[in-house]
Amino acid sequence: MMEKLTFGSEFLFGGATSASQYEGGYLEGGKGLTIADVMTAGNKKQARTVTWRDPLTQENKQATFGLHGPLQIPRGVELMPLEDFYYPSHEASDFYHRYEEDISLMAEMGFQVFRMSFSWARIFPNGDDAEPNYEGLAFYDRVIDLLISKGIQPFITLQHYDMPLNLVLRYGGWKNRKLVDFFYRYATLMIDRYQDKVKYYMTFNEINVLDNVPFITAGLINNSEQDKAQAAHHQLLVSAMIVDFAHQLNKQIQVGQMFTYQPTYPLTSDPKDTLAIMEWEKKSYFYSDMQVKGIYPTYRQKYYQRHQVKVHMEPDDLEIIKSYPADFIGFSTYSSGVMTVHDDKGEFVEGNMVRTIPNPFLPTNAWGWTIDPDCLRIALVTLYERYQKPLYIVENGIGWHEQLYEGCIINDAYRIDYLKQSLRGIHQAINLDGVDVRGYMMWGCIDLVSAGTGEMEKRYGFVYVDKDNRGQGSGKRIKKASFDWYRQVITDRGFND
Ligand code: BG6
């Protein structure tokens, strides 16, 4: 029997993007280079790289980063974009020039909220500049004003995998305490500027990815436990300082923490599998525990002792972190993972910034991400039980290969099915489990560049963007079948299941 799943009027429906994957205009309007601007495109088999020119031989060089291990580059090299390579962030989906058209499409779907990130280097091109770049501010003024005029609330991430490159080259990334001041200056400028316009902020996208891919989250060249711990401390500290600043400015402004959470299941009933998951989850929970509960958890203190890590702090740091917890949790969940200590086949599937093994009960997409109808409900219940904080799903969606044929609509029934499963899970979490979920932002609502592989053709959107993996194409926007479906869901505040 059909059942209508409805969502209350307060529940926010919308979509999500990030500057380096969507905005483009990488050197326009005075913007400086970011770490994303030196990342080449890869694919499922070939990892993304960063590039530089050998100062002695003048040869072009590249090195991989990501789940494949630490970035192996010689000390002191200047990462830079080079003419022989293709960098998908440079033009991305060209929101920089097409924001009016895109925001109209979002409004047509009835978005109540749009998650985007500000690019720090558009405001402070080198990260450490004394004065902001007014052209960059003017761009975001136009975007924010347009969103508001269309009844769409901006939901802002302050750093989403694209810190200014200069802060990596000159300061060594977030392990350097100076970044606390630089980021604070940038973040407070933006929060102050939009104090009557923007109510929702998150400081760092997927902050817990710092543990396994520290280059994209914190600009760290090596993966040493010491540097990661120090960088994490700085990001956690400045996040608390920003909560304090925002609340003093305007009590309406909310600053959330953002992390990625992928439910992980044991493959066998061997307790060692469950223990392995426990160990793995503690790595993620560290960040949300800190931002919500405000103290260094005992498991992390023990971990640091075991690894001879000494976090350098100033006298008030712990008090600041404790005093200003995040207002809400924003999180990304796309799929689930499986772990076992009995993995002798060495098979693995990649999920969102993690590797696990295949789940024999569930299908995957072409990139091996498990399609799990229950993962979102499990995530919501788990996080609510742990934190009792309002939750926003700020990323969820499915990447798919899609081909455009003249005169035909892309019938993305697989995406509609996936989204139905997600919304069903949210509905259950609200109505059966009593979880306080406030909103759903579908990732990549208009096609954008994949963060993991750098491909354009890992498409997530309700709207197709006519560009391929080499940046070729008109950039034209074309609605997919899911566009009308989502519009109807928002109009009806739900759907018949
Ligand atoms: C998250 C990121 O890791 O997942 C996004 O916050 C990213 O930036 C998204 O795009 C989906 O991952 P991918 O690798 O398919 O782009």
Side-chain angles (χ1 to χ4, degrees):
M1 214 183 67
M2 287 266 235
E3 186 199 355
K4 169 116 196 255
L5 304 185
T6 41
F7 293 83
S9 56
E10 304 283 284
F11 186 87
L12 300 173
F13 281 107
T17 60
S18 84
S20 73
Q21 296 170 259
Y22 182 53
E23 192 174 281
Y26 86 114
L27 284 182
E28 287 181 66
K31 179 180 161 291
L33 288 175
T34 72
I35 55 170
D37 296 329
V38 294
M39 292 180 193
T40 62
N43 55 49
K44 191 169 165 251
K45 297 205 181 91
Q46 197 188 335
R48 302 187 73 179
T49 65
V50 292
T51 57
W52 74 93
R53 180 161 292 140
D54 187 306
L56 293 176
T57 64
Q58 294 300 306
E59 272 176 88
N60 290 345
K61 300 273 188 180
Q62 55 184 331
T64 59
F65 66 94
L67 294 172
H68 308 263
L71 191 53
Q72 307 273 3
I73 56 174
R75 265 183 97 81
V77 299
E78 297 269 322
L79 295 175
M80 60 177 83
L82 299 167
E83 56 286 354
D84 295 351
F85 296 96
Y86 172 65
Y87 302 89
S89 72
H90 291 189
E91 200 180 279
S93 305
D94 201 22
F95 180 69
Y96 191 73
H97 297 108
R98 292 176 173 260
Y99 67 93
E100 288 173 323
E101 180 185 359
D102 285 4
I103 292 172
S104 291
L105 286 162
M106 294 173 202
E108 195 182 329
M109 277 185 278
F111 277 23
Q112 297 159 283
V113 66
F114 173 52
R115 176 183 175 214
M116 57 180 270
S117 69
F118 290 147
S119 182
W120 184 355
R122 196 172 283 295
I123 306 305
F124 289 100
N126 301 296
D128 60 355
D129 316 70
E131 289 298 321
N133 167 33
Y134 288 98
E135 224 181 315
L137 288 168
F139 169 66
Y140 290 126
D141 288 351
R142 292 194 293 276
V143 170
I144 299 290
D145 286 345
L146 185 60
L147 285 168
I148 289 171
S149 74
K150 302 265 185 194
I152 302 173
Q153 296 206 51
F155 202 109
I156 303 295
T157 320
L158 289 161
Q159 184 190 297
H160 191 133
Y161 294 164
D162 70 341
M163 62 187 290
L165 181 62
N166 177 57
L167 297 180
V168 177
L169 303 180
R170 302 277 165 275
Y171 298 89
W174 273 97
K175 69 180 181 207
N176 190 325
R177 183 149 184 135
K178 290 205 171 103
L179 269 77
V180 171
D181 297 334
F182 298 148
F183 189 76
Y184 187 77
R185 178 162 52 190
Y186 149 66
T188 54
L189 172 82
M190 303 310 272
I191 295 172
D192 184 64
R193 188 172 185 91
Y194 301 119
Q195 58 178 293
D196 300 320
K197 297 179 178 173
V198 178
K199 185 171 157 195
Y200 301 104
Y201 285 93
M202 298 184 297
T203 45
F204 298 96
N205 180 64
E206 296 188 336
I207 188 168
N208 55 328
V209 169
L210 210 163
D211 260 69
N212 39 352
V213 198
F215 178 66
I216 56 169
T217 51
L220 298 183
I221 301 293
N222 76 50
N223 285 11
S224 82
E225 294 300 328
Q226 177 62 42
D227 284 359
K228 288 195 289 185
Q230 198 59 56
H233 179 75
H234 294 151
Q235 293 195 348
L236 295 164
L237 172 67
V238 78
S239 295
M241 291 162 63
I242 290 166
V243 171
D244 179 28
F245 173 85
H247 290 179
Q248 286 198 38
L249 188 71
N250 181 341
K251 290 260 175 312
Q252 297 294 310
I253 302 175
Q254 298 180 26
V255 182
Q257 91 96 217
M258 190 316 186
F259 84 133
T260 182
Y261 182 77
Q262 168 165 299
T264 305
Y265 314 131
L267 184 69
T268 75
S269 51
D270 182 344
K272 295 280 186 294
D273 279 3
T274 299
L275 277 173
I277 292 169
M278 196 177 89
E279 284 307 317
W280 160 248
E281 290 202 320
K282 281 192 297 196
K283 286 187 161 215
S284 275
Y285 282 140
F286 162 59
Y287 298 87
S288 36
D289 282 355
M290 286 284 286
Q291 286 190 266
V292 175
K293 299 177 184 174
I295 46 173
Y296 269 87
T298 48
Y299 59 80
R300 195 66 167 201
Q301 294 179 31
K302 293 285 179 197
Y303 181 84
Y304 285 165
Q305 278 167 21
R306 283 201 301 282
H307 290 83
Q308 285 87 45
V309 166
K310 174 96 186 67
V311 181
H312 301 284
M313 302 184 195
E314 289 187 4
D316 292 341
D317 286 6
L318 293 180
E319 191 52 37
I320 294 170
I321 291 172
K322 189 160 178 39
S323 306
Y324 307 109
D327 295 310
F328 64 86
I329 294 179
F331 68 98
S332 62
T333 293
Y334 291 86
S335 60
S336 58
V338 176
M339 269 192 182
T340 183
V341 295
H342 304 285
D343 174 25
D344 45 9
K345 286 197 231 138
E347 269 184 279
F348 68 85
V349 288
E350 289 204 359
N352 185 22
M353 304 291 169
V354 292
R355 276 179 173 175
T356 67
I357 60 167
N359 187 324
F361 295 96
L362 296 173
T364 64
N365 72 356
W367 287 263
W369 292 28
T370 302
I371 302 171
D372 177 350
D374 297 306
C375 65
L376 202 46
R377 179 178 176 196
I378 292 169
L380 286 164
V381 172
T382 309
L383 297 181
Y384 195 59
E385 281 177 358
R386 193 170 180 107
Y387 298 118
Q388 302 281 308
K389 282 270 181 183
L391 298 172
Y392 290 88
I393 299 143
V394 297
E395 284 186 35
N396 172 260
I398 187 156
W400 213 269
H401 283 294
E402 288 163 337
Q403 190 73 43
L404 188 66
Y405 295 102
E406 195 58 42
C408 297
I409 186 163
I410 292 173
N411 185 8
D412 52 346
Y414 38 85
R415 180 165 295 109
I416 295 173
D417 283 349
Y418 177 94
L419 297 177
K420 277 185 179 168
Q421 290 175 358
S422 294
L423 294 182
R424 200 178 294 132
I426 300 170
H427 192 267
Q428 287 166 340
I430 294 172
N431 295 289
L432 302 181
D433 309 310
V435 176
D436 183 4
V437 198
R438 306 265 175 105
Y440 179 78
M441 285 153 250
M442 209 283 285
W443 176 254
C445 46
I446 294 182
D447 285 349
L448 42 62
V449 173
S450 157
T453 65
E455 289 163 288
M456 188 70 202
E457 293 175 21
K458 187 179 185 188
R459 299 179 182 278
Y460 282 88
F462 298 118
V463 176
Y464 182 93
V465 172
D466 179 28
K467 279 190 80 181
D468 66 15
N469 286 342
R470 305 301 299 170
Q472 303 299 312
S474 63
K476 198 170 158 207
R477 276 52 176 157
I478 299 131
K479 296 172 192 169
K480 304 178 196 173
S482 58
F483 182 99
D484 275 335
W485 177 82
Y486 198 50
R487 185 177 50 72
Q488 202 60 50
V489 168
I490 300 176
T491 309
D492 297 347
R493 309 294 310 158
F495 65 99
N496 286 319
D497 195 23

